Amino acid sequence: THFPWYHSLPIVGGFMDDHVREAREHLDFTDGFPFRSPHEQVDILHDMRKEIEEGEMPLPSYRLLHWGTLIDGAQRDSVVTWIDQTIARMQSAVDTAQ
């Protein structure tokens, strides 16, 4: 994890560390792509899409410390399109394998 300079501030650093810890409880790329099956990946992608559409990703408290991280407009549309295309490819691969 790469932190901005203000991570060295005691209260801010602790707050950011909590964000990283909580995020890794849900999705941890530390050791590569951690999923056991494509079904898990599809579920996580559906959850991501929902959070982005509802304006909950990234978390408002995260955006306070990481300026410019709001996903909106064309960027949101692009991410949602990528998620939809990825889900379709994964579901197609699962259907083909069955």
Side-chain angles (χ1 to χ4, degrees), residues 63-74:
R63 293 190 307 250
L64 285 173
L65 297 176
H66 301 276
W67 309 297
T69 58
L70 179 63
I71 301 172
D72 63 357

Side-chain angles (χ1 to χ4, degrees), residues 7 14 17 44 48 67 83-84:
H7 178 263
D17 290 341
I44 287 173
M48 287 172 58
W67 309 297
I83 289 171
D84 291 343

Side-chain angles (χ1 to χ4, degrees), residues 1-95:
T1 303
H2 300 283
F3 293 105
W5 65 268
Y6 45 89
H7 178 263
S8 63
L9 301 172
I11 294 173
V12 174
F15 195 59
M16 293 173 98
D17 290 341
D18 286 344
H19 274 157
V20 171
R21 181 189 45 73
E22 184 177 343
R24 285 186 178 157
E25 287 175 8
H26 298 282
L27 185 62
D28 188 354
F29 289 107
T30 302
D31 296 321
F33 209 54
F35 306 109
R36 292 180 294 272
S37 75
H39 296 289
E40 284 184 70
Q41 296 173 38
V42 169
D43 291 342
I44 287 173
L45 288 169
H46 279 294
D47 291 344
M48 287 172 58
R49 187 183 202 285
K50 179 181 173 195
E51 295 293 318
I52 290 169
E53 286 184 328
E54 294 175 354
E56 296 298 322
M57 185 175 174
L59 295 171
S61 56
Y62 181 89
R63 293 190 307 250
L64 285 173
L65 297 176
H66 301 276
W67 309 297
T69 58
L70 179 63
I71 301 172
D72 63 357
Q75 185 181 35
R76 181 192 61 238
D77 295 343
S78 178
V79 172
V80 168
T81 297
W82 174 84
I83 289 171
D84 291 343
Q85 291 171 347
T86 302
I87 289 170
R89 281 194 307 271
M90 292 175 138
Q91 288 176 332
S92 176
V94 167
D95 292 343

